[in-house]
Amino acid sequence: MACPGDGASDRHSRRLPRPGHGERHRARGADPAPLRTRYDRIRSLGDDRTGAGDRRMMQAVAQVGQWLGLGGSIVANLFNPRLIVIGGYFASPAEWLLPHAQDQLQRLVVAAPAAQCRFVASTLGFGAASRGAASMVVNRIIDDPTTIMDSLPRPTAY
């Protein structure tokens, strides 16, 4: 049976790598270099420009940017925001994604005020959303410590 990371099957190479996947292969003596998936190459565009000259990679990034622009145009048509902040995995290759996304956004918005909407890349890092969600919970508990008691199970009388 082929290992999902050895490049033997294109079907397996489309999967996102699990955390620590390369370490397990290295421990078994396998070379972790083939574990670089298309996803990793797209992510690395913003890091070291390794895929910047790859025509197919740039076409894939353009397509992802167009889909991002389509989604952004739906948001812009419904809510008319001034900014759409792109974070997480999309923040790293934003330099290549956002021009395509912005073009698609401008093309697909219906109202003139929605055309003022633009994409920006987050500079807060990958874990910003989870840290923000956690801080909301902590702030709620600090504001009213009794709210934590509402979720605890109550003893029942026999």
Side-chain angles (χ1 to χ4, degrees), residues 22-157:
E23 287 77 22
R24 280 198 306 271
H25 283 284
R26 197 174 298 111
R28 289 189 295 209
D31 181 21
L35 295 176
R36 230 173 118 85
T37 62
R38 290 181 198 140
Y39 169 79
D40 291 328
R41 292 191 323 226
I42 289 173
R43 233 176 97 205
S44 71
L45 284 175
D47 298 336
D48 58 4
R49 301 178 187 264
T50 55
D54 186 352
R55 182 183 55 80
R56 286 186 349 190
M57 186 57 57
M58 295 311 291
Q59 286 174 343
V61 169
Q63 187 176 17
V64 169
Q66 289 171 353
W67 283 108
L68 198 57
L70 173 66
S73 70
I74 293 169
V75 170
N77 286 327
L78 288 173
F79 301 110
N80 194 16
R82 293 238 181 223
L83 288 175
I84 298 174
V85 180
I86 303 301
Y89 294 115
F90 293 108
S92 181
E95 180 181 343
W96 291 275
L97 284 174
L98 295 189
H100 300 287
Q102 191 66 42
D103 290 343
Q104 190 79 331
L105 178 75
Q106 296 299 324
R107 212 171 50 76
L108 296 175
V109 292
V110 177
Q116 295 175 358
C117 181
R118 64 187 176 93
F119 284 100
V120 294
S122 172
T123 58
L124 298 176
F126 183 73
S130 58
R131 285 192 304 269
S135 71
M136 286 181 62
V137 172
V138 169
N139 286 340
R140 182 171 177 206
I141 292 171
I142 289 172
D143 290 344
D144 184 9
T146 62
T147 58
I148 197 167
M149 298 304 290
D150 293 338
S151 62
L152 294 175
R154 304 274 182 210
T156 57

